[in-house]
Amino acid sequence: MIFIVAANVLVYQLQFYFLVNAFHPVGFVNGWAAVASILLAKSFVPISFGDLGVRESASVLLLGRLSVPQAAAFDASLLLFLINIMIPAIAGLYPILKNRSQIHQLEKEPSYD
């Protein structure tokens, strides 16, 4: 289980680093340290909707110290949210709604027992 969690964190950090680097070039060591710090900082605030707002503020603050423009830091953080949370949620909405409609149809059918 520890390996799976560590792999999940590693993939998340790599995604964030590559997104930041796509908007503005950042050195690997400094960029990786900033991304790790951002993800650590956002975990300190337990009450937020998908860490939305906290991660963006932390990324603007910490990546700004590496001379990354505020727009690039904000966009990378928001895009990370879209890739990892919104797109899978929207994709999973269809099977849930389809299953729900099938259940309602079964409830409405008359029983001939």
Side-chain angles (χ1 to χ4, degrees), residues 28-45:
F28 182 76
V29 174
N30 290 334
W32 188 265
V35 165
S37 299
I38 291 165
L39 295 177
L40 178 68
K42 67 121 180 138
S43 67
F44 286 127
V45 180

Side-chain angles (χ1 to χ4, degrees), residues 63-75:
L63 291 172
R65 304 231 181 223
L66 297 176
S67 70
V68 174
Q70 291 180 352
F74 180 83
D75 291 345

Side-chain angles (χ1 to χ4, degrees), residues 18-63:
F18 287 139
L19 286 171
V20 169
N21 207 26
F23 288 110
H24 186 79
V26 178
F28 182 76
V29 174
N30 290 334
W32 188 265
V35 165
S37 299
I38 291 165
L39 295 177
L40 178 68
K42 67 121 180 138
S43 67
F44 286 127
V45 180
I47 301 173
S48 65
F49 177 70
D51 298 324
L52 201 56
V54 177
R55 185 178 42 242
E56 285 77 14
S57 301
S59 66
V60 167
L61 177 70
L62 292 173
L63 291 172

Side-chain angles (χ1 to χ4, degrees), residues 89-105:
I90 292 170
L93 189 62
Y94 175 73
I96 289 173
L97 293 177
K98 184 178 178 184
N99 189 22
R100 183 177 285 175
S101 68
Q102 288 174 352
I103 291 172
H104 287 300
Q105 286 177 355

